[in-house]
Amino acid sequence: MITEDKLKALGFERYEWRDEDGDSIVDHKLKKGSVVIEITNMEKVEITTQGNYIELPKINKDSKLEQLINLLS
């Protein structure tokens, strides 16, 4: 399970905003070179590079997230 404390320790920045329906959204973002890892509402993990989004449903634990960050470093 990915936790708020772990994201903070890994260097993610937290952003809170409301969508067009008024729902609260919490994003956590980490930039590694030209790649951005974004976690939305502690559920959906995506990477973005040059405007292309790729959802990563298998990244669902702290350890897998750390492996992804290490691959990008």
Side-chain angles (χ1 to χ4, degrees), residues 22-71:
D23 296 326
S24 180
I25 307 293
V26 177
D27 284 333
H28 291 82
K29 294 182 182 182
L30 177 69
K31 185 170 177 142
K32 287 287 188 181
S34 63
V35 175
V36 176
I37 302 171
E38 182 175 338
I39 302 172
T40 303
N41 288 340
M42 303 299 284
E43 296 172 1
K44 183 168 77 170
V45 178
E46 296 176 320
I47 60 171
T48 308
T49 182
Q50 299 175 352
N52 296 310
Y53 285 85
I54 300 169
E55 189 171 345
L56 303 172
K58 300 275 186 186
I59 307 293
N60 55 9
K61 295 191 291 188
D62 288 343
S63 59
K64 291 181 180 181
L65 183 60
E66 285 186 76
Q67 288 176 345
L68 175 61
I69 292 168
N70 289 335
L71 284 172

